Amino acid sequence: LFLQDMLLKTRLHEHLFQLLETRISELSVLRTQISHDSTESGKGSAGDKHEVGIAMAQLEIEKIDGQINLLQQQLIALKRIDAQQDHTQIQTGSIFKCNEQWFYCSIAFGQLEFEQTSVFCLSPEAPLFLTLKGKKVGETALLNGKTWKIETVS
């Protein structure tokens, strides 16, 4: 069973944290490279082509800054969750299984593979979480015409 070891949720939480930090680092390197390249390409250049290149680089940097900001907000949200707390009902920080699929209510990250198990990380604002919040093992809920049966909560 995926949840036999309570430390598994802690490892999943840490894995997700590492994924976010790695992505922030990668985007920061990319941002620096784009900034450097636009500065270097501008040396000795003049005219409309040069101005368009700088404007495009600036737009790309702003887009990357937005992605970094979102990832940093997700890191803050993840830090607020106590992954060592065991839950008997679905709430923020719960890992649960419904309809043969594992979910971790933490941040909107989507699906990831962790220790040979597929886990879908969803935010506390996700419709599925809002539908299942407060429910316990054995209970069901209906969302978009589909019945969701809770098999495990931790």
Side-chain angles (χ1 to χ4, degrees):
L1 180 67
F2 183 60
L3 286 176
Q4 284 179 336
D5 179 3
M6 188 54 206
L7 294 175
L8 203 53
K9 183 165 75 166
T10 306
R11 291 195 310 271
L12 172 63
H13 187 83
E14 182 60 31
H15 178 70
L16 188 53
F17 197 86
Q18 292 296 327
L19 289 173
L20 292 175
E21 286 187 325
T22 299
R23 186 68 182 132
I24 288 171
S25 178
E26 291 168 352
L27 286 170
S28 295
V29 168
L30 180 60
R31 183 193 191 287
T32 301
Q33 186 63 44
I34 291 170
S35 179
H36 176 74
D37 289 351
S38 70
T39 303
E40 288 299 310
S41 69
K43 291 184 177 176
S45 297
D48 291 342
K49 186 176 179 183
H50 168 68
E51 296 300 323
V52 168
I54 289 176
M56 287 177 63
Q58 185 59 39
L59 286 173
E60 190 63 26
I61 287 170
E62 288 173 11
K63 181 176 144 189
I64 290 170
D65 285 346
Q67 291 173 337
I68 289 171
N69 185 36
L70 176 63
L71 290 166
Q72 287 171 334
Q73 289 173 13
Q74 289 182 315
L75 274 177
I76 290 167
L78 206 53
K79 284 179 184 177
R80 290 186 184 128
I81 296 171
D82 180 2
Q84 295 181 7
Q85 184 178 4
D86 195 21
H87 300 135
T88 57
Q89 62 185 28
I90 295 177
Q91 58 189 319
T92 301
S94 294
I95 187 167
F96 59 96
K97 187 176 184 182
C98 273
N99 302 3
E100 300 298 319
Q101 171 66 51
W102 286 101
F103 296 90
Y104 181 39
C105 183
S106 52
I107 59 169
F109 189 83
Q111 193 159 321
L112 60 88
E113 293 299 315
F114 179 72
E115 298 184 9
Q116 292 83 45
T117 302
S118 180
V119 179
F120 193 88
C121 300
L122 60 134
S123 80
E125 293 84 32
L128 179 61
F129 173 75
L130 294 173
T131 300
L132 297 174
K133 185 177 181 180
K135 301 229 181 269
K136 298 177 181 176
V137 173
E139 294 185 319
T140 60
L142 188 65
L143 178 66
N144 297 331
K146 183 175 181 178
T147 300
W148 294 85
K149 182 172 183 189
I150 301 163
E151 300 164 35
T152 305
V153 178
S154 177

